[in-house]
Amino acid sequence: TSQPAVPSRIEFLPRNVAQNILIVLKRSRIDTNQLAMGLKRLDPAVCKISNDEAERLLEVWPSPKVLQEILDYADRGEDVSRLRDVEREVLPLARVLRMGPRLRLMVLAGTLNSRTEELLAQLARLQAGCDVLRSSVVLKDIIHVAVIVFNFTNFGTMAWKDEPLRGVDVQSLRRLQETKATRGDFPGFNMLHWLLKELLRHRPGLRLQDIEAEFAPVPMAAGVSLEQLRKEAALLRGDLLFVREELSDHRHAYEEAPSSASTPVLESRSLEDDVRPQEESESVSTPVIESETSAVPTTPEATAGQEDVARPPVNRRCTFMEAFLGRGANFASFAEAWMLGDERIGIPEMSHAGANGFGPTLAKDG
């Protein structure tokens, strides 16, 4: 007896594209139905996906023309089970409007907190190291002696005369140990040893552990890569521009239909506090709708059970993006002001009256 013919699967994706998509989905273990739900809600908690996984998925994602063929097939009411496995995996994501930008937004929402916290931690380490160098009495004493020796050795300038002294640059300070003495206190005696010897002569109670304790933040600050900070700041600036353009040029794609009041509320741990005040202000300012035939009572007791009917649904997705955009703009402004020295981490914007720098200012003549 002959075996019944197995119906062939319907294919729309090119074979190489289908193979690449399956590889990415299997390696990342992505549930496309869950991912599609997370993209519609812009909620990273619905489906966990890293930035690298999102980039790999977008690299192999098929063209809009091919995706439209799959959507047309499903919209005609054809049997979706006849599709090949990879087409069925792609179909939920193909139904999501602006799938690529949404995927980037969702990944950004899930990683923004950790990225900004790490950047602020790096800036704080750099700031702490700079504060130590600026306030260190030991370093000032060392530089004082180094300036005197530098001017006498290179220009013959005597510190006790009225001649102006020239400053010494950081690179010259770093090369002090390269200047060897012909007759030193011990073999390998150099200019840095001599500076420390002079420092101990003026401050005999100074100990090595005192210097190590005073300069403890400096090694951590020296480990901060300024180039990496610039790159991360540039990436955040690009993300900020991307969110601004999405909100400005494609706002309609993220707006909920008026009938979708029962759509689950988007909750994002990183932006929950930023979103809530705006939602409350919108709900308070929304007028109560009254019927032409019978006025609705406006007392709190009378309207307690009618708020959901009277008020239109809050567009939470756009509220999310606006809060996201505002937070990014605030951080970008802070980072720029920090680089210019107008902001400091951990310092309030306006110090209290009488604090250092905010005391009364008197003229020289009193």
Side-chain angles (χ1 to χ4, degrees):
T1 60
S2 60
Q3 297 289 336
V6 178
S8 59
R9 296 293 185 182
I10 299 178
E11 302 178 2
F12 289 101
L13 299 175
R15 190 167 297 274
N16 61 327
V17 175
Q19 184 177 6
N20 291 333
I21 291 177
L22 283 177
I23 291 175
V24 172
L25 293 178
K26 288 183 178 180
R27 286 182 178 178
S28 305
R29 298 181 179 180
I30 298 174
D31 185 337
T32 54
N33 287 293
Q34 284 293 109
L35 180 58
M37 185 183 302
L39 292 177
K40 290 177 181 179
R41 300 181 182 181
L42 288 177
D43 188 356
V46 174
C47 182
K48 301 290 185 181
I49 182 171
S50 67
N51 186 55
D52 293 338
E53 292 171 343
E55 288 183 355
R56 285 195 293 267
L57 180 59
L58 292 178
E59 286 175 359
V60 300
W61 197 243
S63 64
K65 180 180 179 181
V66 176
L67 290 176
Q68 190 60 48
E69 294 176 357
I70 302 175
L71 289 174
D72 292 342
Y73 176 85
D75 292 340
R76 289 196 303 267
E78 303 286 351
D79 187 4
V80 179
S81 63
R82 295 187 59 193
L83 291 174
R84 191 172 42 171
D85 291 348
V86 63
E87 274 81 5
R88 293 203 303 272
E89 291 284 349
V90 166
L91 183 58
L93 296 177
R95 295 184 183 277
V96 178
L97 188 62
R98 295 193 62 76
M99 176 268 183
R102 281 178 179 267
L103 184 57
R104 181 177 174 182
L105 279 171
M106 194 176 76
V107 172
L108 188 58
T111 58
L112 180 65
N113 259 12
S114 59
R115 291 172 62 190
T116 54
E117 286 172 2
E118 176 60 24
L119 188 59
L120 285 174
Q122 296 280 346
L123 294 176
R125 283 193 282 269
L126 190 61
Q127 178 177 292
C130 292
D131 288 343
V132 168
L133 294 178
R134 294 177 61 185
S135 61
S136 172
V137 178
V138 174
L139 183 60
K140 291 177 181 178
D141 291 341
I142 293 177
I143 293 179
H144 175 72
V145 178
V147 168
I148 294 175
V149 175
F150 176 79
N151 280 266
F152 177 76
T153 304
N154 293 280
F155 308 104
T157 305
M158 302 294 186
W160 53 86
K161 294 186 177 181
D162 294 333
E163 301 177 20
L165 298 178
R166 303 191 184 189
V168 56
D169 55 27
V170 176
Q171 296 301 325
S172 298
L173 289 176
R174 296 181 60 184
R175 300 182 64 179
L176 287 173
Q177 57 188 358
E178 298 178 7
T179 306
K180 306 291 184 179
T182 55
R183 290 179 298 174
D185 295 352
F186 50 83
F189 190 84
N190 56 48
M191 184 63 73
L192 182 59
H193 293 134
W194 184 83
L195 289 178
L196 293 175
K197 182 179 178 181
E198 286 295 304
L199 179 63
L200 290 174
R201 188 168 66 87
H202 290 88
R203 302 183 61 178
L206 187 63
R207 295 293 179 266
L208 176 60
Q209 53 267 30
D210 299 331
I211 298 178
E212 291 176 344
E214 181 173 347
F215 290 94
V218 175
M220 298 181 65
V224 175
S225 172
L226 295 179
E227 184 62 27
Q228 190 61 35
L229 285 180
R230 292 191 186 98
K231 289 181 179 179
E232 182 59 30
L235 289 176
L236 286 172
R237 195 177 297 113
D239 291 335
L240 172 64
L241 180 61
F242 162 71
V243 175
R244 181 181 288 122
E245 290 176 349
E246 281 296 300
L247 190 59
S248 173
D249 301 339
H250 307 284
R251 185 186 185 94
H252 65 280
Y254 300 91
E255 291 180 344
E256 299 177 359
S259 60
S260 61
S262 60
T263 303
V265 177
L266 169 66
E267 293 182 359
S268 176
R269 182 183 62 83
S270 60
L271 294 176
E272 184 178 3
D273 295 335
D274 295 337
V275 175
R276 186 179 295 111
Q278 191 167 353
E279 292 177 356
E280 293 175 354
S281 63
E282 291 180 3
S283 62
V284 171
S285 61
T286 304
V288 177
I289 301 176
E290 297 187 357
S291 173
E292 296 180 357
T293 56
S294 60
V296 179
T298 58
T299 62
E301 294 78 5
T303 59
Q306 302 175 359
E307 292 182 356
D308 294 337
V309 177
R311 295 172 181 171
V314 176
N315 196 331
R316 300 183 187 278
R317 290 182 186 134
C318 286
T319 301
F320 162 80
M321 294 181 66
E322 288 166 351
F324 199 75
L325 180 63
R327 185 172 183 179
N330 289 340
F331 184 83
S333 300
F334 168 81
E336 184 177 357
W338 186 90
M339 293 174 59
L340 297 175
D342 297 331
E343 291 281 359
R344 286 175 56 82
I345 299 174
I347 303 298
E349 183 177 359
M350 179 63 72
S351 299
H352 60 277
N356 184 23
F358 288 89
T361 303
L362 299 178
K364 293 183 179 181
D365 57 1

